[in-house]
Amino acid sequence: TINHFIPGSILARSILHEAGAEISLEAVKEHSKILNKLFRNEFIYPTKTTLDEAFEETVAAFSVRGFIDLSGSNEAPDVIIKEAETLEMLASFLDVFVEAYWATIKSLDILQEFPLWDKELKARCMENCRRFYLKGKVSRPEAANRTLVESCINWLIRTNVLNLQENGKKKTVSLAP
């Protein structure tokens, strides 16, 4: 079900991220692209439309529903927030994902000291996610989710933030230089 709300959730989070009196639609679009790349393995995206088309359709839907208005020139429009509570509610659908990725990344400090086996790294990240929730640094207990922690680690490997070395059955993870 959440896949249905993801385009709106990403747009809402991007608008709120850029929060100000006048929000550049282009800046919102760039932030949306970053979130779409980050979470591309978490959600099912429609294959019949491009991300740009989905972005434009979602902006139009938000405008028609009165969540936002667009002002300024057609070449460089600005976004005016009309229904902040609605945008905050839609943006909150991503909270678990954002918090799980944040907690996982914050857990990588240990790799500055020495590499870890991949299973040990995942276990420590899970433990830190739980600890962050108990300390109030993360608001969603579901952020301590093994699948999300693994997705984040895989994303960090794909983006060359982490190195993965395989030696037989053992996989060692270290920070990239």
Side-chain angles (χ1 to χ4, degrees):
T1 305
I2 196 168
N3 289 303
H4 175 73
F5 295 100
I6 288 307
S9 184
I10 287 175
L11 178 59
R13 182 166 289 280
S14 298
I15 290 169
L16 295 173
H17 178 269
E18 298 296 327
E22 293 183 9
I23 305 164
S24 159
L25 185 61
E26 189 59 35
V28 170
K29 186 174 186 176
E30 289 305 311
H31 192 260
S32 292
K33 285 181 181 180
I34 291 168
L35 290 176
N36 276 309
K37 285 182 183 178
L38 180 62
F39 296 125
R40 74 176 189 196
N41 291 327
E42 302 297 339
F43 307 113
I44 299 170
Y45 290 92
T47 57
K48 295 179 183 176
T49 60
T50 66
L51 287 177
D52 286 337
E53 292 169 340
F55 177 82
E56 290 173 16
E57 289 173 7
T58 308
V59 168
F62 275 28
S63 182
V64 167
R65 288 182 173 90
F67 302 162
I68 62 170
D69 270 339
L70 298 177
S71 68
S73 68
N74 286 340
E75 293 81 35
D78 290 325
V79 176
I80 299 168
I81 297 172
K82 302 281 283 187
E83 293 285 336
E85 286 182 10
T86 303
L87 294 181
E88 288 170 9
M89 185 267 307
L90 285 168
S92 73
F93 289 142
L94 283 180
D95 286 353
V96 170
F97 300 91
V98 171
E99 288 183 351
Y101 274 54
W102 177 85
T104 301
I105 290 168
K106 293 295 280 183
S107 301
L108 299 179
D109 290 350
I110 190 72
L111 292 178
Q112 291 179 347
E113 297 174 27
F114 49 83
L116 290 173
W117 291 327
D118 67 327
K119 291 180 181 180
E120 177 65 19
L121 175 62
K122 290 171 187 174
R124 287 185 184 209
C125 288
M126 285 291 297
E127 182 58 33
N128 280 339
C129 287
R130 288 185 201 101
R131 191 172 292 128
F132 287 145
Y133 172 72
L134 294 173
K135 289 181 176 180
K137 293 181 179 182
V138 168
S139 65
R140 309 282 182 145
E142 312 90 86
N145 177 304
R146 184 168 307 281
T147 302
L148 291 177
V149 167
E150 289 175 359
S151 290
C152 181
I153 291 170
N154 290 335
W155 174 74
L156 291 166
I157 291 168
R158 278 194 317 274
T159 57
N160 298 316
V161 173
L162 296 177
N163 290 326
L164 178 69
Q165 294 178 339
E166 296 185 47
N167 187 5
K169 291 183 178 182
K170 293 187 179 181
K171 297 177 185 175
T172 305
V173 182
S174 61
L175 286 173

